[in-house]
Amino acid sequence: MMSTEIVVSESEHMMCCASCGIAEDNENKKLKTCTACKSVRYCSVTCQKKHRPHHKRACKKKAAELHDEILFKQPESSNYGDCPICLLPHPIDPEKSSMMSCCSKVICGGCAYANQMRQREEKLEDICPFCRHPSPDNVADINRNRMKRVEANNPAAICMMGFIRFNEGDDQGAFEYWTKAVELVNDADAHYQLSFLYWKGKGVEKDTKKKVYHLEQAAIGGHLDARFNLGVIEQHNGRLERAIKHWMIAAKLGDDSAVEALKNRFREGSISKDVFAEALRAHQAAVDAAKSPQRDEAEAAAVKDGGRQSSWALG
């Protein structure tokens, strides 16, 4: 006997209200998608509320699947991105790059050092290696340049002002700047700093859910510390499989702490030799991608200078 069951495709299903079944009419009736699961649509708020008891469990499951799909997607690079001059990935150590106060561009130490050496050898004016603006002579000029970028709604400058306010002990001011950076471009570093504020209750009330939310948003944006910390949280909660996923992502972006965590999991037998080897190869590739002769020269100069930040690293 032939089955009379009608199979409805997902696309066709999305063309009708999940509650009353009315079809979308391009001219008169527009359906709105469930913002949580993105898998059903409704013709009205009334229909959505009526259907909620039937949809709640499936909605929660689908929303969690969509969330994890985004959370565990391997970012192409860390949140630091590439140096705008040499176009190589920035080192994951922020001390090896510097932000120019005039344009708020983050320049790798190699390019900043090469620019400084060229200017000295050719007796040129000291200028920004990116925008060619004359370098500031003092801290007051640096602050003035930075505030111009803040007033122009530059996210990097705004995020930097958050750090400055935090170091001054102004937690509320830091919170406001970092919140603005998140609102402007979903800045990963700002998300990470907000997670810290919610964790410690600095400038805001302690809130574990918001702490984790901002950690996740930072991790999605390629923030390695956020990614590593999420792994620690998952391990603490007894969800080692999720922790390993976080550490694998961080290791593939060049994070040493994540490699160490995976090494410990390998020793205890939680991951296979092949999985650990994959992490090691990807980690080394990420580290190598951030190397250049100019950066090596800059690091050597810094060591020779006694480990102090040299003039070429000041913006």
Side-chain angles (χ1 to χ4, degrees), residues 181-216:
V182 163
E183 291 172 348
L184 286 172
V185 293
N186 208 31
D187 187 270
D189 208 9
H191 270 300
Y192 182 70
Q193 302 309 325
L194 288 173
S195 76
F196 176 81
L197 295 183
Y198 279 113
W199 175 41
K200 292 295 186 179
K202 289 180 171 291
V204 293
E205 292 186 9
K206 288 185 177 181
D207 191 317
T208 301
K209 287 186 177 181
K210 288 184 179 180
K211 178 195 78 170
V212 173
Y213 166 76
H214 286 293
L215 274 180
E216 289 182 341

Short mmCIF file of all heavy atoms in Angstrom, two decimals, residues 181-216:
data_model
loop_
_atom_site.label_atom_id
_atom_site.label_comp_id
_atom_site.label_asym_id
_atom_site.label_seq_id
_atom_site.Cartn_x
_atom_site.Cartn_y
_atom_site.Cartn_z
N ALA A 181 32.63 50.22 22.48
CA ALA A 181 33.41 49.51 21.46
C ALA A 181 32.68 48.25 20.99
O ALA A 181 32.71 47.91 19.81
CB ALA A 181 34.78 49.13 22.02
N VAL A 182 32.00 47.59 21.92
CA VAL A 182 31.20 46.41 21.57
C VAL A 182 30.02 46.82 20.69
O VAL A 182 29.70 46.15 19.70
CB VAL A 182 30.71 45.70 22.85
CG1 VAL A 182 29.58 44.74 22.53
CG2 VAL A 182 31.86 44.95 23.51
N GLU A 183 29.38 47.90 21.05
CA GLU A 183 28.22 48.36 20.28
C GLU A 183 28.61 48.79 18.87
O GLU A 183 27.85 48.59 17.91
CB GLU A 183 27.55 49.52 21.01
CG GLU A 183 26.87 49.12 22.31
CD GLU A 183 26.37 50.31 23.11
OE1 GLU A 183 26.77 51.45 22.76
OE2 GLU A 183 25.62 50.11 24.08
N LEU A 184 29.80 49.36 18.71
CA LEU A 184 30.23 49.85 17.40
C LEU A 184 30.62 48.72 16.45
O LEU A 184 30.17 48.68 15.31
CB LEU A 184 31.40 50.82 17.57
CG LEU A 184 31.07 52.21 18.11
CD1 LEU A 184 32.36 52.98 18.39
CD2 LEU A 184 30.22 52.98 17.10
N VAL A 185 31.49 47.81 16.91
CA VAL A 185 32.00 46.78 16.00
C VAL A 185 32.08 45.40 16.64
O VAL A 185 32.76 44.51 16.13
CB VAL A 185 33.42 47.16 15.48
CG1 VAL A 185 33.36 48.38 14.59
CG2 VAL A 185 34.38 47.38 16.63
N ASN A 186 31.41 45.21 17.77
CA ASN A 186 31.46 43.90 18.45
C ASN A 186 32.91 43.54 18.77
O ASN A 186 33.33 42.39 18.60
CB ASN A 186 30.82 42.82 17.57
CG ASN A 186 30.22 41.69 18.39
OD1 ASN A 186 29.76 41.90 19.51
ND2 ASN A 186 30.24 40.49 17.85
N ASP A 187 33.68 44.50 19.25
CA ASP A 187 35.11 44.34 19.48
C ASP A 187 35.39 43.19 20.45
O ASP A 187 34.88 43.15 21.57
CB ASP A 187 35.68 45.64 20.05
CG ASP A 187 37.19 45.61 20.16
OD1 ASP A 187 37.69 45.18 21.23
OD2 ASP A 187 37.86 45.99 19.20
N ALA A 188 36.22 42.24 20.01
CA ALA A 188 36.50 41.04 20.81
C ALA A 188 37.24 41.37 22.10
O ALA A 188 36.94 40.81 23.16
CB ALA A 188 37.32 40.05 19.99
N ASP A 189 38.21 42.27 22.03
CA ASP A 189 38.96 42.63 23.23
C ASP A 189 38.07 43.33 24.25
O ASP A 189 38.17 43.09 25.46
CB ASP A 189 40.14 43.53 22.86
CG ASP A 189 41.30 43.39 23.85
OD1 ASP A 189 41.24 42.49 24.70
OD2 ASP A 189 42.25 44.18 23.75
N ALA A 190 37.17 44.17 23.77
CA ALA A 190 36.24 44.85 24.66
C ALA A 190 35.30 43.85 25.33
O ALA A 190 35.00 43.95 26.52
CB ALA A 190 35.44 45.90 23.89
N HIS A 191 34.85 42.86 24.56
CA HIS A 191 34.01 41.79 25.14
C HIS A 191 34.77 41.09 26.27
O HIS A 191 34.21 40.81 27.33
CB HIS A 191 33.65 40.76 24.07
CG HIS A 191 32.38 41.06 23.34
ND1 HIS A 191 31.15 41.16 23.98
CD2 HIS A 191 32.14 41.26 22.02
CE1 HIS A 191 30.22 41.40 23.09
NE2 HIS A 191 30.77 41.48 21.90
N TYR A 192 36.05 40.80 26.02
CA TYR A 192 36.84 40.08 27.02
C TYR A 192 36.99 40.90 28.30
O TYR A 192 36.89 40.37 29.41
CB TYR A 192 38.22 39.75 26.45
CG TYR A 192 39.09 38.96 27.41
CD1 TYR A 192 38.78 37.64 27.71
CD2 TYR A 192 40.20 39.55 28.00
CE1 TYR A 192 39.57 36.91 28.60
CE2 TYR A 192 40.99 38.82 28.88
CZ TYR A 192 40.67 37.51 29.17
OH TYR A 192 41.46 36.80 30.05
N GLN A 193 37.24 42.19 28.15
CA GLN A 193 37.39 43.05 29.32
C GLN A 193 36.07 43.19 30.08
O GLN A 193 36.06 43.22 31.31
CB GLN A 193 37.90 44.43 28.89
CG GLN A 193 39.22 44.41 28.14
CD GLN A 193 40.31 43.61 28.83
OE1 GLN A 193 40.41 43.59 30.06
NE2 GLN A 193 41.15 42.95 28.04
N LEU A 194 34.96 43.22 29.36
CA LEU A 194 33.65 43.29 30.01
C LEU A 194 33.39 42.01 30.80
O LEU A 194 32.79 42.05 31.89
CB LEU A 194 32.55 43.51 28.99
CG LEU A 194 32.48 44.91 28.37
CD1 LEU A 194 31.46 44.95 27.23
CD2 LEU A 194 32.13 45.96 29.42
N SER A 195 33.84 40.87 30.28
CA SER A 195 33.66 39.62 31.01
C SER A 195 34.41 39.66 32.34
O SER A 195 33.92 39.14 33.35
CB SER A 195 34.15 38.43 30.16
OG SER A 195 35.56 38.35 30.13
N PHE A 196 35.57 40.30 32.32
CA PHE A 196 36.35 40.44 33.56
C PHE A 196 35.62 41.31 34.57
O PHE A 196 35.57 40.99 35.77
CB PHE A 196 37.72 41.04 33.24
CG PHE A 196 38.57 41.30 34.46
CD1 PHE A 196 39.28 40.29 35.06
CD2 PHE A 196 38.63 42.58 35.01
CE1 PHE A 196 40.04 40.53 36.20
CE2 PHE A 196 39.39 42.83 36.14
CZ PHE A 196 40.10 41.81 36.73
N LEU A 197 35.04 42.41 34.10
CA LEU A 197 34.31 43.31 34.99
C LEU A 197 33.12 42.59 35.63
O LEU A 197 32.86 42.74 36.83
CB LEU A 197 33.84 44.55 34.24
CG LEU A 197 34.93 45.49 33.69
CD1 LEU A 197 34.28 46.70 33.03
CD2 LEU A 197 35.89 45.93 34.79
N TYR A 198 32.40 41.80 34.83
CA TYR A 198 31.24 41.07 35.37
C TYR A 198 31.68 39.95 36.31
O TYR A 198 30.96 39.58 37.23
CB TYR A 198 30.40 40.50 34.23
CG TYR A 198 29.47 41.53 33.62
CD1 TYR A 198 29.65 41.98 32.32
CD2 TYR A 198 28.41 42.07 34.36
CE1 TYR A 198 28.80 42.93 31.76
CE2 TYR A 198 27.56 43.02 33.81
CZ TYR A 198 27.76 43.44 32.51
OH TYR A 198 26.92 44.39 31.97
N TRP A 199 32.85 39.40 36.08
CA TRP A 199 33.38 38.34 36.94
C TRP A 199 33.77 38.91 38.31
O TRP A 199 33.43 38.35 39.36
CB TRP A 199 34.58 37.69 36.26
CG TRP A 199 35.30 36.67 37.11
CD1 TRP A 199 34.73 35.73 37.93
CD2 TRP A 199 36.72 36.49 37.21
NE1 TRP A 199 35.72 34.97 38.54
CE2 TRP A 199 36.94 35.42 38.11
CE3 TRP A 199 37.82 37.12 36.63
CZ2 TRP A 199 38.22 34.97 38.43
CZ3 TRP A 199 39.08 36.67 36.95
CH2 TRP A 199 39.28 35.62 37.85
N LYS A 200 34.46 40.06 38.30
CA LYS A 200 34.96 40.65 39.53
C LYS A 200 33.98 41.62 40.17
O LYS A 200 34.17 42.02 41.33
CB LYS A 200 36.27 41.39 39.24
CG LYS A 200 37.43 40.49 38.89
CD LYS A 200 37.83 39.61 40.05
CE LYS A 200 39.09 38.81 39.74
NZ LYS A 200 39.49 37.96 40.88
N GLY A 201 32.94 42.03 39.42
CA GLY A 201 32.01 43.00 39.96
C GLY A 201 32.60 44.39 40.03
O GLY A 201 32.32 45.16 40.96
N LYS A 202 33.41 44.75 39.05
CA LYS A 202 34.06 46.06 39.02
C LYS A 202 33.28 46.99 38.11
O LYS A 202 33.20 46.78 36.91
CB LYS A 202 35.51 45.94 38.53
CG LYS A 202 36.45 45.29 39.52
CD LYS A 202 37.86 45.23 38.95
CE LYS A 202 38.87 44.78 39.99
NZ LYS A 202 39.08 45.79 41.05
N GLY A 203 32.65 48.02 38.67
CA GLY A 203 31.86 48.96 37.89
C GLY A 203 30.47 48.44 37.56
O GLY A 203 29.63 49.20 37.07
N VAL A 204 30.24 47.15 37.81
CA VAL A 204 28.95 46.50 37.57
C VAL A 204 28.73 45.45 38.66
O VAL A 204 29.66 45.11 39.39
CB VAL A 204 28.90 45.81 36.19
CG1 VAL A 204 28.95 46.83 35.07
CG2 VAL A 204 30.04 44.80 36.06
N GLU A 205 27.49 44.97 38.76
CA GLU A 205 27.23 43.87 39.68
C GLU A 205 27.77 42.57 39.10
O GLU A 205 27.76 42.37 37.89
CB GLU A 205 25.72 43.73 39.93
CG GLU A 205 25.11 44.89 40.71
CD GLU A 205 23.66 44.63 41.04
OE1 GLU A 205 23.19 43.49 40.82
OE2 GLU A 205 22.99 45.57 41.49
N LYS A 206 28.24 41.68 39.97
CA LYS A 206 28.73 40.39 39.49
C LYS A 206 27.61 39.66 38.77
O LYS A 206 26.48 39.62 39.25
CB LYS A 206 29.24 39.54 40.66
CG LYS A 206 30.56 40.01 41.25
CD LYS A 206 31.05 39.04 42.31
CE LYS A 206 32.40 39.47 42.87
NZ LYS A 206 32.92 38.50 43.88
N ASP A 207 27.95 39.08 37.63
CA ASP A 207 26.93 38.38 36.84
C ASP A 207 27.62 37.28 36.04
O ASP A 207 28.29 37.55 35.05
CB ASP A 207 26.22 39.36 35.90
CG ASP A 207 24.98 38.77 35.26
OD1 ASP A 207 25.04 37.60 34.83
OD2 ASP A 207 23.95 39.47 35.18
N THR A 208 27.46 36.04 36.46
CA THR A 208 28.13 34.91 35.82
C THR A 208 27.66 34.70 34.39
O THR A 208 28.46 34.41 33.49
CB THR A 208 27.90 33.61 36.61
OG1 THR A 208 28.41 33.78 37.94
CG2 THR A 208 28.61 32.44 35.97
N LYS A 209 26.36 34.86 34.14
CA LYS A 209 25.83 34.67 32.80
C LYS A 209 26.41 35.69 31.83
O LYS A 209 26.77 35.35 30.70
CB LYS A 209 24.31 34.76 32.81
CG LYS A 209 23.62 33.54 33.45
CD LYS A 209 22.12 33.63 33.31
CE LYS A 209 21.44 32.40 33.88
NZ LYS A 209 19.96 32.45 33.74
N LYS A 210 26.49 36.94 32.26
CA LYS A 210 27.05 37.98 31.39
C LYS A 210 28.54 37.78 31.21
O LYS A 210 29.09 38.07 30.14
CB LYS A 210 26.74 39.36 31.95
CG LYS A 210 25.27 39.75 31.83
CD LYS A 210 25.01 41.17 32.31
CE LYS A 210 23.55 41.55 32.14
NZ LYS A 210 23.26 42.92 32.61
N LYS A 211 29.21 37.28 32.25
CA LYS A 211 30.64 36.98 32.13
C LYS A 211 30.86 35.96 31.02
O LYS A 211 31.71 36.15 30.13
CB LYS A 211 31.18 36.44 33.45
CG LYS A 211 32.66 36.04 33.39
CD LYS A 211 33.06 35.18 34.58
CE LYS A 211 32.60 33.75 34.39
NZ LYS A 211 33.17 32.83 35.41
N VAL A 212 30.10 34.87 31.05
CA VAL A 212 30.25 33.82 30.05
C VAL A 212 29.82 34.33 28.67
O VAL A 212 30.47 34.02 27.66
CB VAL A 212 29.42 32.58 30.44
CG1 VAL A 212 29.44 31.55 29.32
CG2 VAL A 212 29.96 31.96 31.73
N TYR A 213 28.75 35.12 28.61
CA TYR A 213 28.30 35.66 27.33
C TYR A 213 29.42 36.47 26.66
O TYR A 213 29.71 36.27 25.47
CB TYR A 213 27.08 36.56 27.53
CG TYR A 213 26.77 37.42 26.31
CD1 TYR A 213 26.16 36.88 25.19
CD2 TYR A 213 27.13 38.78 26.28
CE1 TYR A 213 25.90 37.66 24.06
CE2 TYR A 213 26.86 39.55 25.16
CZ TYR A 213 26.25 38.99 24.06
OH TYR A 213 26.01 39.76 22.95
N HIS A 214 30.04 37.36 27.41
CA HIS A 214 31.10 38.19 26.82
C HIS A 214 32.35 37.37 26.50
O HIS A 214 33.04 37.66 25.51
CB HIS A 214 31.43 39.35 27.75
CG HIS A 214 30.39 40.43 27.77
ND1 HIS A 214 30.14 41.22 26.67
CD2 HIS A 214 29.53 40.84 28.73
CE1 HIS A 214 29.17 42.08 26.95
NE2 HIS A 214 28.78 41.86 28.19
N LEU A 215 32.63 36.34 27.30
CA LEU A 215 33.74 35.44 26.97
C LEU A 215 33.48 34.74 25.64
O LEU A 215 34.38 34.63 24.79
CB LEU A 215 33.92 34.39 28.07
CG LEU A 215 34.80 34.74 29.27
CD1 LEU A 215 34.84 33.56 30.23
CD2 LEU A 215 36.21 35.13 28.85
N GLU A 216 32.26 34.28 25.45
CA GLU A 216 31.91 33.58 24.21
C GLU A 216 32.00 34.51 23.01
O GLU A 216 32.52 34.13 21.96
CB GLU A 216 30.52 32.97 24.33
CG GLU A 216 30.45 31.78 25.27
CD GLU A 216 29.08 31.15 25.34
OE1 GLU A 216 28.10 31.82 24.96
OE2 GLU A 216 28.99 29.99 25.79
#
